[in-house]
Amino acid sequence: MAAQVGRLERFVAWLLRNADVVVALCVAMAVGFLDIFGDGVSDDVSSGATRVVLGRRATGSIVERVRRPASIHEALSGTRQALEDLAMVRSLSGNEVGEALRKARQHTNLWYFKGGTGTYLRAVTLPLCVAAAKEQRSQLNVKIDIVNPADERACAAYARFRQMFGGQRRGDEVWTTDRVRRESYATVLAACWYQRQLTTLEISVHLSSAVPTLRFDLSETCLVITQDDQSRVNLLVERGQPLYDYYVTELHQSREQATVLDLRVASPLGQEPTVDEVRTLFDDLGLPLPRVFTDSDIGKIIEKALHAEDPYRR
């Protein structure tokens, strides 16, 4: 009995929801039967019935049009969300990389770098960020994660990677194990030198045995991901996007697994460091220069540390 009552209630509810369809159908069928089996239907009645049926179709059309914008709105909302997800990352090419890094340096008190040997960091990022912090009398926090120059296997692997995928330019020095070591030593030297130029500079250097294939430059406003081959696509991630936060954590974990240098124990350096000062500095850091490095090699390290060429200006 309860099942019958339930079915009756559902039937009544269906009739109420579709009353306009039922009425139009009943009128159309009644008029149709009378028109077929009898002569009692006038032209006015047939015309009126036709209007009822057409009215139902018009009503259905209006309802459908009312419903359609809602569906379109839902579809547009989904598309908008997809576009917002894609907008988390923007591709950069050519001169856009240098411009993105320039904007990243504006109004930032921190810079986290992870990459091979940090050429651009030495040439542009450190000197300009330190100069801006001096002018603004503000604090600057820099964290550097590069290939460990004391790990010959890692340096050799990075040299092979650069030879294979780095996009060698005419006139460039060939990437060898010794070059990788000199470049990494130069970044360590630059960190120590700039630390003495700005008392509010908090800088740390982390040496990794893992070979990186990408470079990460992270500021307070964005993350710029670049490759050694500048002809390839590079990426920009704005702060506020989930991917930015993911990489903050990723870079932190990478530094945790690397060897950190205590720069506070390093010996003082002159405005133009000498070969002897540099040798003593690295001994103090527990990162002695290879014995095979001549005074000429150390001179190259000093030159690369303080007078590196902007790789994006070529």
Side-chain angles (χ1 to χ4, degrees), residues 149-150 152 155 176-186 290 293:
E152 192 167 351
C155 292
T176 63
T177 301
D178 281 345
R179 180 185 175 185
V180 174
R181 301 180 82 179
R182 286 195 299 267
E183 299 278 355
S184 287
Y185 279 123
F293 274 22

Side-chain angles (χ1 to χ4, degrees), residues 13-259:
W14 181 87
L15 285 177
L16 292 175
R17 287 196 306 271
N18 301 278
D20 55 344
V21 177
V22 174
V23 170
L25 181 60
C26 290
V27 170
M29 291 179 64
V31 172
F33 279 117
L34 289 174
D35 193 30
I36 294 171
F37 298 108
D39 299 326
V41 179
S42 66
D43 291 339
D44 291 339
V45 173
S46 297
S47 178
T50 301
R51 290 191 183 97
V52 170
V53 176
L54 291 176
R56 159 61 197 135
R57 293 188 63 184
T59 302
S61 177
I62 292 172
V63 170
E64 181 62 25
R65 292 190 180 189
V66 170
R67 290 173 180 169
R68 192 177 302 160
S71 299
I72 292 174
H73 179 72
E74 292 177 3
L76 288 175
S77 296
T79 303
R80 189 180 301 113
Q81 182 61 49
L83 290 174
E84 288 176 355
D85 291 341
L86 288 174
M88 287 199 331
V89 178
R90 183 163 69 86
S91 63
L92 303 170
S93 59
N95 294 331
E96 292 178 331
V97 176
E99 179 62 16
L101 290 169
R102 184 189 67 80
K103 290 182 178 179
R105 290 191 299 270
Q106 295 178 338
H107 313 298
T108 187
N109 291 321
L110 68 84
W111 197 277
Y112 298 164
F113 172 81
K114 175 178 172 57
T117 59
T119 302
Y120 184 85
L121 180 78
R122 284 180 268 118
V124 180
T125 304
L126 267 177
L128 292 184
C129 285
V130 167
K134 277 185 177 181
E135 182 180 353
Q136 300 164 11
R137 297 184 179 181
S138 61
Q139 187 175 7
L140 178 62
N141 183 0
V142 178
K143 298 183 185 297
I144 303 169
D145 187 346
I146 56 173
V147 173
N148 187 348
D151 189 333
E152 192 167 351
R153 292 181 61 184
C155 292
Y158 185 69
R160 288 194 299 271
F161 169 75
R162 290 301 301 266
Q163 291 171 12
M164 192 174 301
F165 300 107
Q168 185 79 17
R169 296 185 185 88
R170 182 179 298 177
D172 274 2
E173 182 183 354
V174 177
W175 281 95
T176 63
T177 301
D178 281 345
R179 180 185 175 185
V180 174
R181 301 180 82 179
R182 286 195 299 267
E183 299 278 355
S184 287
Y185 279 123
T187 298
V188 176
L189 176 59
C192 293
W193 190 85
Y194 281 106
Q195 186 180 47
R196 285 156 177 74
Q197 308 303 309
L198 180 66
T199 57
T200 58
L201 172 61
E202 293 185 5
I203 189 167
S204 61
V205 177
H206 305 255
L207 305 178
S208 175
S209 293
V211 177
T213 59
L214 298 171
R215 290 188 295 253
F216 302 86
D217 286 274
L218 185 142
S219 74
E220 288 182 290
T221 58
C222 68
L223 165 68
V224 180
I225 305 174
T226 55
Q227 303 186 58
D228 292 309
D229 186 350
Q230 295 177 24
S231 65
R232 296 182 179 273
V233 174
N234 305 285
L235 304 175
L236 171 68
V237 182
E238 299 286 352
R239 183 177 182 176
Q241 300 292 351
L243 196 58
Y244 177 94
D245 297 327
Y246 297 160
Y247 273 111
V248 169
T249 303
E250 176 68 19
L251 295 177
H252 173 76
Q253 287 301 109
S254 177
R255 292 191 301 270
E256 286 292 302
Q257 298 172 46
T259 300

Side-chain angles (χ1 to χ4, degrees), residues 236-287:
L236 171 68
V237 182
E238 299 286 352
R239 183 177 182 176
Q241 300 292 351
L243 196 58
Y244 177 94
D245 297 327
Y246 297 160
Y247 273 111
V248 169
T249 303
E250 176 68 19
L251 295 177
H252 173 76
Q253 287 301 109
S254 177
R255 292 191 301 270
E256 286 292 302
Q257 298 172 46
T259 300
V260 61
L261 295 178
D262 186 0
L263 304 186
R264 296 171 300 177
V265 302
S267 301
L269 292 168
Q271 196 65 23
E272 288 293 333
T274 65
V275 169
D276 289 338
E277 286 177 344
V278 171
R279 285 189 185 275
T280 302
L281 172 84
F282 282 107
D283 286 341
D284 292 343
L285 292 173
L287 190 69

